[in-house]
Amino acid sequence: MLLADKSVIITGASRGIGRAAAIECARQGANVVIGYSGSPSSRAAVDELIQEIEALGRRAVAVGAPAEDPDTGQLLVDAAVEQFGGVDVFVNNAGICPFHSFLDMPRQTYLDTVNTNLNGAFFAVQAAANQMKRQGRGGAIIAVSSISALVGGGMQTHYTPTKAGLLSLMQSCAVALGPYGIRCNALLPGTIETDINKEDLADQKKRDYMAGRTPLGRLGRPEDLAGPLVFLASDMAQYVTGASLLVDGGMYVNLQ
Ligand SMILES: NC(=O)C1=CN([C@@H]2O[C@H](COP(=O)(O)OP(=O)(O)OC[C@H]3O[C@@H](n4cnc5c(N)ncnc54)[C@H](OP(=O)(O)O)[C@@H]3O)[C@@H](O)[C@H]2O)C=CC1
Ligand SMILES: C[C@H](O)[C@@H]1OC(=O)[C@H](O)[C@@H]1O
């Protein structure tokens, strides 16, 4: 049990990478605050996740609130304090990637992407860090960034800067929060099959291209991220801060 009795907040935990992370954290002994958008269409998945976590003998509560709202981070922290007595781990995972070409990018698509993926994250990380500082026992903050923090994408010009921004945020927060024993790291998934890219990967040619670029021979699954995330959250990584962990099946290094 790497996270025994820890209180973990994960944003965007109703589906995909966040959901797999929530289940693994619970398996490792944590109680989990499940962040999601608040959309009624996600509620059934959230209720199912709560049941799954409770079946593992752990507790879970859900907070539905938009990641782009600067107050959402504090709501998540308040729920963790009220239900589980504090915050040990904060995972900023919620994100969107509405694929679009650059030259005709609608202004609102750009703003929504930056507000959801980066601006909201800043305030949420700040709220979690202040709570951890008050508690005085350190903590771990993880931002789910992306391989896209390191490389470009012609249909992701609004998205890749948010992922580079999250990586940079973790580096600077590692410096700012190290004195309080709060570790800050970035997790960089490669291409992981989830709802975020369902439409994009429905194109068989694109799908084969992405899988073909991956030395391990397949696209990623949400569960592939869960172990690396638990590692960063746990005391196994007690001297790891300001780092980024690429989990991409080798895609990034595959030039030729
Ligand atoms: N899949 C991939 O290939 C990669 C993903 N990533 C990153 O991983 C993270 C998770 O992505 P993934 O699991 O693939 O995506 P999914 O689309 O499967 O899940 C997205 C999650 O984020 C939540 N979310 C979306 N918009 C908002 C919002 N405005 N406010 C609050 N919550 C919101 C969703 O909640 P709800 O159900 O309520 O909508 C859901 O829980 C993202 O940050 C993404 O950029 C990084 C690299 C690769
Ligand atoms: C949504 C994309 O498929 C996914 O997101 C990222 O961050 C990477 O660019 C992946 O390919």
Side-chain angles (χ1 to χ4, degrees), residues 175-243:
V175 179
L177 301 175
Y180 304 105
I182 302 170
R183 299 182 296 101
C184 300
N185 293 292
L187 187 66
L188 278 57
T191 296
I192 314 301
E193 286 199 79
T194 68
D195 290 343
I196 207 173
N197 49 28
K198 209 173 194 163
E199 218 175 288
D200 187 50
L201 296 174
D203 174 353
Q204 192 62 40
K205 256 173 77 182
K206 170 84 184 272
R207 191 189 178 78
D208 291 346
Y209 170 73
M210 298 306 275
R213 283 200 53 160
T214 308
L216 290 184
R218 64 168 174 83
L219 299 177
R221 306 176 189 117
E223 296 71 28
D224 292 326
L225 276 301
L229 186 139
V230 165
F231 163 70
L232 290 175
S234 77
D235 288 346
M236 297 275 280
Q238 64 185 3
Y239 198 57
V240 181
T241 195

Side-chain angles (χ1 to χ4, degrees), residues 9-247:
I9 299 172
I10 305 177
T11 71
S14 52
R15 297 183 273 139
I17 292 169
R19 181 187 171 89
I23 291 169
E24 190 55 38
C25 286
R27 262 197 211 113
Q28 296 295 335
N31 298 314
V32 186
V33 175
I34 299 162
Y36 75 109
S37 68
S39 160
S41 62
S42 298
R43 193 61 226 194
V46 168
D47 288 341
E48 207 176 283
L49 176 60
I50 291 175
Q51 282 177 17
E52 209 169 319
I53 289 173
E54 287 176 350
L56 291 167
R58 307 311 309 177
R59 294 174 59 205
V61 291
V63 175
E68 60 272 28
D69 184 336
D71 293 329
T72 288
Q74 192 59 52
L75 288 181
L76 292 160
V77 167
D78 290 347
V81 171
E82 198 183 306
Q83 298 291 325
F84 309 138
V87 181
D88 298 299
V89 177
F90 179 78
V91 182
N92 194 91
N93 167 73
I96 56 171
C97 182
F99 286 80
H100 206 287
S101 44
F102 175 62
L103 293 175
D104 57 350
M105 179 77 65
R107 189 176 285 184
Q108 201 55 47
T109 304
Y110 172 77
L111 293 173
D112 288 347
T113 304
V114 175
N115 284 333
T116 303
N117 294 5
L118 183 60
N119 292 337
F122 179 92
F123 294 108
V125 166
Q126 189 185 46
N130 272 308
Q131 178 60 30
M132 288 173 183
K133 180 188 167 209
R134 273 192 294 275
Q135 291 167 185
R137 56 173 194 260
I141 296 176
I142 299 161
V144 179
S145 168
S146 170
I147 188 175
S148 296
L150 310 176
V151 292
M155 299 291 277
Q156 295 177 306
T157 55
H158 50 330
Y159 173 80
T160 60
T162 68
K163 294 295 157 177
L166 285 173
L167 171 56
S168 175
L169 179 65
M170 287 301 97
Q171 291 174 338
S172 288
C173 283
V175 179
L177 301 175
Y180 304 105
I182 302 170
R183 299 182 296 101
C184 300
N185 293 292
L187 187 66
L188 278 57
T191 296
I192 314 301
E193 286 199 79
T194 68
D195 290 343
I196 207 173
N197 49 28
K198 209 173 194 163
E199 218 175 288
D200 187 50
L201 296 174
D203 174 353
Q204 192 62 40
K205 256 173 77 182
K206 170 84 184 272
R207 191 189 178 78
D208 291 346
Y209 170 73
M210 298 306 275
R213 283 200 53 160
T214 308
L216 290 184
R218 64 168 174 83
L219 299 177
R221 306 176 189 117
E223 296 71 28
D224 292 326
L225 276 301
L229 186 139
V230 165
F231 163 70
L232 290 175
S234 77
D235 288 346
M236 297 275 280
Q238 64 185 3
Y239 198 57
V240 181
T241 195
S244 45
L245 180 50
L246 187 59
V247 183

